[in-house]
Amino acid sequence: MTTTLCLVRHGETPWNVDRRLQGHLDVPLNDHGRIQARATGAMLNGKHFDAVYSSDLARALETARSIAGDTVPTALPALRERHYGSLQGLTYEEAKQRLPEAYAAFEARNPSYAFPGGGETLLAFRSRVESTLHSLAQRHVGQQVLVVTHGGVLDIVHRLVTGKSLESPRDFKIPNAALNWVEHGPEGWALIAWAETMHLPASRDELPNS
């Protein structure tokens, strides 16, 4: 008996366009993000989901509601983006200039570095994401579940299912509103499909030149 998860990153926000670190700050979708959310909903129309979960932050919840139609998403704070502490609200360039030590740790994916201002270490973030994912898989054995969340969460998910190390540079895409399919069964986690964007007019990723 396997659990199938369709994981979706929220639609585009104004801060995605500005390349600004959002973290736990509550930033709404922009108009393009709403178009993306509707397109994802249309792409998944006819797919049956036994449950719908979302981060409780507005950009994810709005995306989830647009996709889920009449199904009310269950909001889970555990599905939030990583807390970036004092880096939150800054563009990548501003963070590099104002908080060079914290930004260097961010770029290097230092697993034990806690951002000033109450930020999470990468290790703590991974623990939060992985325990939440395992909990959902165990709660919905034999079912198909929709999860709407954030780019950092999906980074952890991809590494969990592929065995890629936490510290290694990201070499896979996480576009806004793309479809990412994984499953959990007796053999553990498996990747089904990743970063499906055929339904989207355009989608953005934090990776350079994306």
Side-chain angles (χ1 to χ4, degrees), residues 122-202:
L122 196 52
L123 287 170
F125 180 49
R126 179 178 67 180
S127 177
R128 166 163 68 87
V129 172
E130 290 189 356
S131 63
T132 303
L133 209 66
H134 280 292
S135 175
L136 293 179
Q138 292 165 4
R139 190 181 307 170
H140 295 283
V141 173
Q143 297 182 334
Q144 184 161 269
V145 178
L146 175 66
V147 178
V148 181
T149 184
H150 304 269
V153 174
L154 289 166
D155 174 87
I156 299 296
V157 172
H158 190 281
R159 292 169 192 274
L160 170 65
V161 300
T162 63
K164 190 176 181 66
S165 73
L166 188 62
E167 298 88 350
S168 59
R170 175 155 69 91
D171 58 1
F172 50 92
K173 288 189 174 291
I174 308 177
N176 287 113
L179 304 179
N180 308 281
W181 297 85
V182 303
E183 67 180 19
H184 184 269
E187 303 299 318
W189 289 102
L191 181 65
I192 303 172
W194 194 263
E196 294 182 336
T197 58
M198 69 287 290
H199 59 291
L200 298 172

Side-chain angles (χ1 to χ4, degrees):
M1 296 288 283
T2 62
T3 306
T4 301
L5 300 179
C6 177
L7 299 117
V8 179
R9 183 184 174 203
H10 61 78
E12 185 180 276
T13 73
W15 284 19
N16 288 147
V17 177
D18 294 342
R19 289 180 53 78
R20 194 175 296 276
L21 289 152
Q22 298 177 109
H24 283 203
L25 299 182
D26 220 1
V27 184
L29 300 181
N30 61 17
D31 288 341
H32 185 60
R34 295 185 181 98
I35 291 170
Q36 290 175 325
R38 289 194 294 270
T40 302
M43 183 68 178
L44 293 174
N45 186 34
K47 293 275 189 185
H48 172 72
F49 291 103
D50 296 283
V52 179
Y53 294 91
S54 173
S55 158
D56 64 336
L57 295 176
R59 57 193 183 272
L61 262 180
E62 185 178 356
T63 302
R65 288 167 178 154
S66 186
I67 296 171
D70 295 333
T71 303
V72 178
T74 298
L76 295 181
L79 289 170
R80 284 186 178 192
E81 180 61 276
R82 183 182 177 188
H83 196 305
Y84 292 113
S86 299
L87 296 182
Q88 294 184 159
L90 302 179
T91 66
Y92 286 71
E93 189 57 36
E94 287 169 345
K96 185 176 182 178
Q97 296 299 321
R98 298 181 194 180
L99 296 163
E101 179 186 328
Y103 187 78
F106 169 71
E107 273 206 323
R109 299 187 61 86
N110 183 328
S112 58
Y113 182 87
F115 298 114
E120 287 179 286
T121 67
L122 196 52
L123 287 170
F125 180 49
R126 179 178 67 180
S127 177
R128 166 163 68 87
V129 172
E130 290 189 356
S131 63
T132 303
L133 209 66
H134 280 292
S135 175
L136 293 179
Q138 292 165 4
R139 190 181 307 170
H140 295 283
V141 173
Q143 297 182 334
Q144 184 161 269
V145 178
L146 175 66
V147 178
V148 181
T149 184
H150 304 269
V153 174
L154 289 166
D155 174 87
I156 299 296
V157 172
H158 190 281
R159 292 169 192 274
L160 170 65
V161 300
T162 63
K164 190 176 181 66
S165 73
L166 188 62
E167 298 88 350
S168 59
R170 175 155 69 91
D171 58 1
F172 50 92
K173 288 189 174 291
I174 308 177
N176 287 113
L179 304 179
N180 308 281
W181 297 85
V182 303
E183 67 180 19
H184 184 269
E187 303 299 318
W189 289 102
L191 181 65
I192 303 172
W194 194 263
E196 294 182 336
T197 58
M198 69 287 290
H199 59 291
L200 298 172
S203 190
R204 172 184 311 275
D205 190 307
E206 281 85 12
L207 286 176
N209 304 317
S210 63

